[in-house]
Amino acid sequence: MVENNLLSLIIFAPLAGAVINWLIGGRLKNEMFSGLVACGTIAVSTVVAFMIAFGHNGALHSEKPVLDHLWTWIQVGSFRADFGLGMDRLSGIYACFITFVGLLIHIFATGYMKGDKGFYRFFAYLNLFMFSMLTLILADNFLLMFVGWEGVGLCSYLLIGFYLKKDEARRAAKKAFVMNRIGDWGVLIGIFLIFSLTGTISFFDKTVDGQQVQSVFTFVLANMSADPFTWGAIFAGGLTSVGVLLFIGATGKSAQIPLLTWLPDAMAGPTPVSALIHAATMVTAGVYLVVRSNAIYQMSPTAMWIIAVIGAATAIFAATIAIAQNDIKKVLAYSTVSQLGFMFLAAGVGAFVVAIFHVMTHAFFKALLFLGSGSVIHGMHHEQDMRKMGGLRKHMPITFITMAMGWLAICGIPIWAGFFSKDEILYKTFATDKYFPAGPFPGEEVLWAVAVFTAVLTAIYMTRMMVMTFWGEERFHHQIEGEHHGDDHDAHEDTHAHVHDDHDEEHHALPPNFKPHESPWVMTMPLVILAFLSTVGGLVGVPYAMSSIFGVKDANAFEHVLEPVVAETKMPTAIAAREAAKSHAPEVVQKERMLAGLSIVMAAIGIAIGFALFLKTPLRKMPKILEEKWRLDELYNGYIVDPITNLSRNGLWKGFDVGFIDGMVNGIGHFVIEAGSLVRQIQVGFVRSYAAIILLGALAVLGYFIYYGLKLVG
């Protein structure tokens, strides 16, 4: 066990930034101060994260995790939960790319949010989010991880609804909050079940105050056997039940079917929020949870199969919607949902390392694309509709070139980062029968076909986005059917196109002589760095089949770093799968190369289709059902939300609460009032009347005693 107290600095530096910005930044109202505090604290986290990950006895090349025990949080009977942090190879990779990409996004945001009245509040929320996210990935047990899990949900709510007077933002924030809570019950029940099965909730084996604490995963590998590959295992209360419950939480946090509709609506928040939370960090928390618990999942084949199917279904479903959206951020939002589906597909077929590889490359190119879209929106006077763009490459050359790097990466063109990770997902899906820990995997051919088709769709809709934004004629002043400007009157008063406040980020009418402009260096510099990472970042994970073409036999450093994270179960099928993965048999290598070639061809075809369809007709009408997102919101509202709302309003509120509870309380009150009114009639105000009443009462009491006295005597 390696102790390093600096680990806590990674999470508490952003928390300090949030407190300072809230308490002092709110009084100073100084953008320079708030920006320096926010970026400075994240820079501290970044430096410390890289030091602990890559330094002497660093987490990324050590066999044991780096731990930091702060205090024992809860100890009741055999239940123990520490407020302790741990960085192993998995959380080390997460910590490095989250802090570094987060730092770039913070820097970008200082330019994007310039002039906003809520500048300090925005960065306080952003720092608080970083604290929660880093707590989530560095927690050394399930309960503390759940604290971070809930924290990022709360911060997501605050940041999506940052524009307080914008109805769309408020509705989106509530939707995100509710949908995440729906999923969170699964995580919570899953943690309860884990403790009841194993007696511990710790991620790591450790010694605290002389007491041995066993890891959940060590207990599972040593004392439990794999569940059968049956539907009944889901409800048996064993490892499969745990896996399914945890995955329910992951569907909410990572926007998978059926809890996916909150993520595209979350684009109502500021664009840096979209880049940080809804592309690079929070939405990948579900993938982290699944990979962190891979020892449980490897012994729960039914849960893994469900994850793979849901992942593939989400990937293609979101891709079909992305191809018909006109809002540049909505395209990227549905693209994110689709890419998250790829990650879950990889985890579901047992390629846990590949899933994390795609998480990392996706963080690079999707953060780049979101920030690039923010630069476009900034240069277009907050216009987000691509139908009113076109020809921007000559006005915004840096933004165009950098976004082109992200476009090639997500399309899967070599040597850009997305090619290596996506190609590995496709190959591992195709060859699941050889690598799946539980043996044969039903339906892997269908999943592979779905994944390939989704990859082609990805190339098409991303090419459409680039063509509509940067190529073709300029359409800045074209009238769009159903177009609505937020407030034209204010637009004329606001001569500073780049300035917006905390209650209005809507696009205003463009002046007749409007020309788009490139963003300032503080916004383009992060784009350049992310473009570089999107181009070469995938070279850390070049698979054997690719590197061996150039005579390099073992270039997959990323896989070797994460190998210890994947539990080695003792099932014969799992042992055979591990041996197959390491064998590099010539026929296997040849097959992987053929599939990679096919993947490149399909990506090129997708790009060619995108240019052919949209270069000359960028406003091509798309199928209405796709524009309306398969009417999923209407389906949810019609069959789930509205019935529950009606039941709550008419049944629970008006019927039970107002009718029964209030009716009973009010009825008692009315009865007492009426009884009092009757009794009040005898208060006539004459002494002789009161004396008569007293006499009658006395006679009644006297008569009572006489009656019962005679009965006793008789």
Side-chain angles (χ1 to χ4, degrees), residues 3 67-72 80 82-85 206 208-209:
E3 284 272 354
L67 301 177
D68 185 9
H69 176 80
L70 282 82
W71 65 82
T72 299
R80 179 192 183 97
D82 294 319
F83 198 101
L85 306 176
K206 60 182 183 179
V208 180
D209 299 331

Side-chain angles (χ1 to χ4, degrees), residues 38-84:
C39 296
T41 52
I42 301 302
V44 169
S45 294
T46 307
V47 171
V48 176
F50 274 80
M51 281 174 52
I52 298 177
F54 292 98
H56 179 64
N57 284 330
L60 295 189
H61 48 77
S62 173
E63 294 300 321
K64 294 184 178 180
V66 178
L67 301 177
D68 185 9
H69 176 80
L70 282 82
W71 65 82
T72 299
W73 182 15
I74 303 172
Q75 186 160 20
V76 179
S78 60
F79 180 82
R80 179 192 183 97
D82 294 319
F83 198 101

Side-chain angles (χ1 to χ4, degrees), residues 323-326 385-390 464 467-469 471-481 610 612-623 627:
I323 203 169
Q325 300 305 302
N326 294 314
D385 194 327
M386 296 186 297
R387 292 173 295 180
K388 302 206 69 174
M389 298 180 184
R464 173 178 178 266
V467 167
M468 290 183 72
T469 305
W471 271 278
E473 63 169 345
E474 298 174 353
R475 304 180 298 276
F476 309 146
H477 301 287
H478 285 198
Q479 290 299 313
I480 305 298
E481 183 181 355
L613 288 178
F614 302 107
L615 185 59
K616 291 185 178 179
T617 54
L619 303 184
R620 176 185 293 275
K621 189 67 177 174
M622 302 304 291
E627 288 183 349

Side-chain angles (χ1 to χ4, degrees), residues 393-710:
R393 55 183 173 155
K394 69 178 180 182
H395 299 287
M396 310 179 73
I398 300 176
T399 301
F400 165 66
I401 293 171
T402 52
M403 282 191 74
M405 300 300 106
W407 163 51
L408 294 172
I410 194 173
C411 289
I413 299 297
I415 59 165
W416 281 270
F419 164 71
F420 297 107
S421 55
K422 189 180 292 185
D423 179 66
E424 277 290 277
I425 292 174
L426 295 177
Y427 170 69
K428 293 290 185 182
T429 304
F430 183 83
T432 306
D433 275 345
K434 288 185 179 296
Y435 305 114
F436 192 57
F441 189 96
E444 83 274 13
E445 299 90 351
V446 176
L447 294 182
W448 177 78
V450 169
V452 169
F453 185 63
T454 305
V456 176
L457 281 179
T458 303
I460 294 174
Y461 71 68
M462 288 306 300
T463 304
R464 173 178 178 266
M465 187 196 80
M466 292 296 289
V467 167
M468 290 183 72
T469 305
F470 294 106
W471 271 278
E473 63 169 345
E474 298 174 353
R475 304 180 298 276
F476 309 146
H477 301 287
H478 285 198
Q479 290 299 313
I480 305 298
E481 183 181 355
E483 185 179 14
H484 169 69
H485 293 300
D487 189 340
D488 290 340
H489 175 68
D490 290 345
H492 293 298
E493 292 183 348
D494 183 7
T495 56
H496 300 284
H498 63 283
V499 175
H500 49 93
D501 59 26
D502 64 349
H503 56 79
D504 189 3
E505 202 198 27
E506 293 187 17
H507 167 62
H508 301 300
L510 297 174
N513 59 347
F514 171 76
K515 287 292 181 187
H517 58 84
E518 184 58 277
S519 299
W521 71 268
V522 74
M523 294 173 68
T524 54
M525 184 264 289
L527 297 182
V528 173
I529 296 174
L530 287 170
F532 176 76
L533 292 173
S534 300
T535 303
V536 304
L539 296 178
V540 299
V542 180
Y544 177 89
M546 303 293 163
S547 63
S548 58
I549 296 175
F550 304 98
V552 181
K553 296 291 179 69
D554 198 5
N556 199 338
F558 193 89
E559 184 180 54
H560 293 313
V561 167
L562 280 181
E563 268 175 354
V565 172
V566 181
E568 295 191 350
T569 58
K570 298 175 182 176
M571 296 177 291
T573 50
I575 294 171
R578 287 197 294 272
E579 290 175 352
K582 295 176 181 175
S583 66
H584 301 307
E587 63 275 15
V588 174
V589 171
Q590 188 64 24
K591 184 183 294 181
E592 186 172 354
R593 288 175 181 169
M594 288 176 58
L595 290 173
L598 177 64
S599 174
I600 297 169
V601 171
M602 299 303 283
I605 291 174
I607 292 174
I609 292 174
F611 273 107
L613 288 178
F614 302 107
L615 185 59
K616 291 185 178 179
T617 54
L619 303 184
R620 176 185 293 275
K621 189 67 177 174
M622 302 304 291
K624 193 172 180 62
I625 189 69
L626 301 183
E627 288 183 349
E628 295 178 348
K629 310 156 195 171
W630 295 102
R631 297 178 184 167
L632 190 60
D633 277 325
E634 289 78 1
L635 180 70
Y636 281 2
N637 289 336
Y639 291 96
I640 299 176
V641 177
D642 289 346
I644 292 176
T645 303
N646 290 332
L647 174 66
S648 301
R649 179 181 291 122
N650 299 323
L652 297 179
W653 174 42
K654 293 183 179 178
F656 184 74
D657 188 24
V658 176
F660 179 70
I661 301 294
D662 287 3
M664 188 170 62
V665 173
N666 293 335
I668 293 172
H670 286 301
F671 171 77
V672 172
I673 291 172
E674 292 299 325
S677 298
L678 289 174
V679 175
R680 194 182 300 123
Q681 300 300 319
I682 64 176
Q683 291 183 318
V684 294
F686 297 113
V687 174
R688 60 177 179 273
S689 300
Y690 298 149
I693 292 172
I694 293 173
L695 179 61
L696 288 174
L699 289 174
V701 173
L702 186 60
Y704 171 83
F705 283 110
I706 291 173
Y707 174 74
Y708 281 100
L710 291 175

Side-chain angles (χ1 to χ4, degrees), residues 292-443:
R292 169 62 71 196
S293 309
N294 73 82
I296 294 173
Y297 281 104
Q298 288 191 60
M299 301 173 83
S300 317
T302 310
M304 289 186 70
W305 188 85
I306 292 172
I307 291 173
V309 171
I310 293 290
T314 305
I316 191 169
F317 181 75
T320 58
I321 298 176
I323 203 169
Q325 300 305 302
N326 294 314
D327 184 320
I328 188 170
K329 286 176 67 177
K330 287 288 180 69
V331 175
L332 294 175
Y334 280 105
S335 167
T336 300
V337 175
S338 180
Q339 296 300 310
L340 288 165
F342 272 110
M343 298 169 202
F344 279 108
L345 172 62
V349 299
F352 299 106
V353 173
V354 177
I356 297 301
F357 188 31
H358 199 56
V359 166
M360 188 187 75
T361 59
H362 179 262
F364 295 153
F365 63 71
K366 190 51 67 67
L368 166 63
L369 290 167
F370 263 115
L371 293 187
S373 74
S375 180
V376 168
I377 294 167
H378 182 270
M380 284 293 297
H381 194 27
H382 297 290
E383 177 61 78
Q384 296 185 196
D385 194 327
M386 296 186 297
R387 292 173 295 180
K388 302 206 69 174
M389 298 180 184
L392 287 181
R393 55 183 173 155
K394 69 178 180 182
H395 299 287
M396 310 179 73
I398 300 176
T399 301
F400 165 66
I401 293 171
T402 52
M403 282 191 74
M405 300 300 106
W407 163 51
L408 294 172
I410 194 173
C411 289
I413 299 297
I415 59 165
W416 281 270
F419 164 71
F420 297 107
S421 55
K422 189 180 292 185
D423 179 66
E424 277 290 277
I425 292 174
L426 295 177
Y427 170 69
K428 293 290 185 182
T429 304
F430 183 83
T432 306
D433 275 345
K434 288 185 179 296
Y435 305 114
F436 192 57
F441 189 96

Side-chain angles (χ1 to χ4, degrees), residues 21-42:
N21 257 328
W22 189 260
L23 297 179
I24 302 176
R27 294 176 182 273
L28 296 179
K29 304 284 186 186
N30 184 302
E31 292 185 358
M32 177 71 77
F33 174 82
S34 294
L36 282 176
V37 168
C39 296
T41 52
I42 301 302

